[in-house]
């Protein structure tokens, strides 16, 4: 008999979401993570702000996680605007039908804390923290993982939610398409003297991409993407000198800048797994789809995947089927690939186009923005994706 029905490796937002989705089900779940329980219960701020769609907010509400966020941790996102270079042209995105906010901005740390609080009190989930896991035997009856310096655990299904550079994915012979953009993303919080009016701005400028994501208390998340070599000089600046550099690079569109957090740096690498499943094994979150942040859909896709995989697991359990059998896993893979692959490909194409400094590319960017503005159908598709209407 298996120790567990399900083993989830990785207690990031996606892994936690799957565990929370299965709360109350007659399943035995093991959740394994290399971080300590203290680090999971109070995650350190890492600079990343997650743009949640309305659909994702409702899913978090279903899990009981949204209610655990503090009032000051969720900022409404009413509108998004795209700028191109020195042009005064602005391409806006709003929800024109409902006139509701597109979603909300919540820090990655706050989301992880809220989700962990949900899972921590689940009676059907055992936590194994401060441990790494390696997959052992897999056969027709079940699968096992070996915990570092500990015993092996057996289950019917293993889910890997262990980052876009998943070691477990590789151990199962699943390749992945990796797109290294050769760029580095800097993120930090900043207070500014001009109001953001809850508008998220994505500004594709010469040699740089800037985003200002609206937070509460007159703050925004400042995101700067540069060539990895150019970022080296930025890292050497003091906090005060960097604040002045932000003002210069943003042409003081947001007025005077004061940093309110330290700076964090992330290499830009997008990942799409060749397969999402193998015998008694499934990929979830960034291990399956690691998005470029330009569309802010990374966690939204991870949460969607948790609900899609959770649906198949619950259906198998209700019908007395093996939750690790290929039938349910194949359904999950087809559904999640259909939902994620088009936007993954489109996002990478956009990111490459806006990193291209050739004259023809700059012309194409400006023409593309105006074409989308003049094409209501295309605008509605993008706006629906931002709000999660088609998730």
């Amino acid at each position: 008999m298996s120790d567990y029905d399900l083993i989830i490796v990785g207690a990031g937002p996606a892994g936690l979401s799957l565990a929370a989705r299965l709360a109350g089900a007659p399943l035995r779940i093991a959740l394994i993570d290399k971080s300590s329980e203290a680090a999971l219960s109070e995650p350190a701020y890492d600079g990343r702000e997650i743009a949640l769609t309305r659909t994702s907010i409702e899913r978090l509400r279903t899990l009981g996680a949204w209610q655990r966020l503090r009032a000051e941790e969720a900022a409404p996102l009413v509108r998004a605007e795209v700028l191109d270079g020195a042009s005064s042209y602005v391409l806006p995105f709003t929800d024109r039908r409902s006139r509701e906010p597109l979603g909300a901005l919540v820090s990655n740390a706050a989301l992880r804390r809220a989700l962990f609080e949900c899972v921590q009190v689940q009676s059907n989930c055992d936590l194994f923290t401060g441990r790494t896991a390696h997959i052992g035997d897999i056969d027709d009856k079940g699968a096992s993982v070996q915990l570092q310096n500990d015993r092996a655990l057996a289950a019917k299904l293993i889910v890997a939610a262990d980052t876009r550079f998943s070691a477990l994915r590789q151990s199962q012979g699943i390749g992945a398409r990796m797109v290294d953009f050769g760029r580095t993303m800097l993120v930090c919080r900043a207070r500014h003297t001009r109001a953001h009016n809850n508008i998220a701005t994505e500004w594709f400028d010469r040699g740089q991409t800037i985003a200002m994501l609206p937070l509460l208390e007159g703050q925004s998340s400042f995101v700067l993407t540069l060539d990895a070599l150019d970022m080296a000089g930025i890292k050497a600046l003091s906090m005060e000198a960097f604040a002045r550099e932000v003002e210069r690079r943003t042409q003081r569109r947001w007025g005077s800048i004061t940093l309110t957090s330290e700076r964090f740096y992330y290499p830009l690498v997008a990942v799409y797994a060749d397969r999402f499943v193998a015998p008694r094994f499934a990929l979830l979150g960034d291990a399956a789809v690691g998005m470029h942040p330009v569309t802010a859909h990374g966690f939204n896709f991870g949460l969607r995947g948790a609900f899609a995989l959770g649906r198949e697991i619950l259906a198998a359990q209700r019908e007395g089927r093996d939750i690790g059998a290929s039938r349910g896993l194949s359904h999950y893979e087809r559904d999640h690939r259909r939902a994620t692959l088009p936007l993954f490909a489109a996002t990478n194409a956009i990111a490459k186009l806006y990193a291209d400094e050739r004259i023809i590319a700059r012309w194409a960017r400006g023409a593309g923005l105006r074409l989308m503005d003049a094409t209501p159908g295309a605008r509605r598709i993008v706006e629906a994706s931002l709000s999660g209407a088609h998730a």
Side-chain angles (χ1 to χ4, degrees):
M1 182 176 181
S2 298
D3 297 308
Y4 292 95
D5 296 295
L6 171 67
I7 295 174
I8 304 170
V9 182
L16 289 168
S17 296
L18 177 60
R21 180 69 184 89
L22 300 174
L27 297 166
R28 295 160 297 155
I29 304 168
L31 179 60
I32 305 168
D33 196 89
K34 63 183 179 180
S35 299
S36 68
E37 185 167 349
L40 291 172
S41 61
E42 285 294 338
Y45 179 68
D46 61 9
R48 289 178 289 182
E49 307 289 342
I50 310 301
L52 297 169
T53 64
R54 291 203 304 270
T55 299
S56 289
I57 291 171
E58 287 307 308
R59 285 173 174 153
L60 289 170
R61 202 184 303 277
T62 298
L63 300 181
W66 182 257
Q67 298 89 319
R68 293 177 180 268
L69 292 172
R70 299 158 191 158
E72 68 274 14
E73 290 178 328
L77 175 57
V78 173
R79 175 184 172 101
E81 295 182 348
V82 179
L83 312 179
D84 181 38
S87 172
S88 60
Y89 180 78
V90 176
L91 177 61
F93 294 101
T94 58
D95 189 333
R96 302 184 183 193
R97 292 183 177 179
S98 69
R99 299 190 180 276
E100 294 181 9
L102 293 170
L105 284 151
V106 179
S107 76
N108 182 60
L111 277 174
R112 290 180 60 192
R113 188 206 73 242
L115 286 164
F116 186 75
E117 288 176 0
C118 293
V119 173
Q120 200 172 24
V121 298
Q122 282 184 218
S123 60
N124 68 342
C125 184
D126 293 337
L127 297 170
F128 295 84
T129 58
R131 296 174 173 90
T132 56
H134 303 279
I135 294 179
D137 297 328
I138 295 180
D139 56 32
D140 291 341
K141 296 183 180 179
S144 66
V145 299
Q146 178 67 49
L147 299 182
Q148 184 182 27
N149 301 323
D150 207 338
R151 64 191 176 99
L153 301 178
K156 298 175 183 176
L157 173 65
I158 297 171
V159 173
D162 58 335
T163 82
R164 66 187 63 200
F165 305 110
S166 171
L168 296 187
R169 179 183 66 212
Q170 188 176 26
S171 76
Q172 297 309 292
I174 300 178
R177 176 190 174 192
M178 294 195 178
V179 184
D180 188 338
F181 294 91
R183 293 194 153 208
T184 299
M185 180 178 70
L186 178 159
V187 289
C188 66
R189 284 186 172 183
R191 182 169 285 109
H192 40 84
T193 54
R194 293 184 183 172
H196 52 52
N197 297 318
N198 301 116
I199 298 173
T201 302
E202 190 85 26
W203 185 4
F204 298 100
D205 200 8
R206 294 288 296 274
Q208 65 179 8
T209 301
I210 289 172
M212 276 291 204
L213 308 178
L215 305 176
L216 299 178
E217 300 177 348
Q219 296 184 88
S220 288
S221 172
F222 172 72
V223 185
L224 175 65
T225 303
L226 292 175
D227 181 282
L229 294 176
D230 292 337
M231 190 63 81
I234 295 293
K235 290 182 179 180
L237 295 177
S238 67
M239 294 284 278
E240 179 61 28
F242 178 69
R244 304 290 77 76
E245 180 69 5
V246 173
E247 291 175 0
R248 184 187 71 80
R249 287 180 175 272
T250 59
Q251 299 176 16
R252 293 185 64 87
R253 285 175 181 264
W254 289 270
S256 299
I257 297 292
T258 304
L259 300 188
T260 55
S261 81
E262 61 179 292
R263 292 166 283 179
F264 301 85
Y265 303 88
Y266 297 96
L268 286 187
V269 180
V271 177
Y272 202 92
D274 295 340
R275 292 179 287 130
F276 291 173
V277 301
R280 298 197 176 276
F281 180 80
L283 296 173
L284 182 66
D286 282 358
V289 184
M291 293 287 290
H292 187 291
V294 67
T295 57
H297 262 63
F299 174 69
N300 293 303
F301 277 159
L303 183 58
R304 185 200 182 282
F307 270 67
L309 181 56
R311 180 178 63 243
E312 297 299 333
I313 291 172
L314 290 172
Q317 184 275 323
R318 282 195 307 270
E319 296 167 13
R321 292 186 282 110
D322 183 350
I323 68 168
S326 61
R327 174 180 167 184
L329 297 183
S330 296
H331 287 170
Y332 160 67
E333 179 174 46
R334 286 196 300 272
D335 175 74
H336 203 44
R337 289 183 75 88
R338 186 167 55 246
T340 58
L341 186 56
L343 189 57
F344 179 84
T347 297
N348 291 345
I350 291 170
K352 289 179 178 179
L353 175 63
Y354 280 94
D356 192 336
E357 293 302 324
R358 292 177 298 172
I359 292 176
I360 190 170
R362 295 203 301 269
W363 177 87
R365 293 197 293 261
L369 291 181
R370 286 168 172 78
L371 178 61
M372 179 168 287
D373 199 11
T375 310
R379 285 273 301 274
R380 283 194 292 271
I381 291 173
V382 174
E383 289 166 350
S385 73
L386 291 172
S387 66
H390 293 163

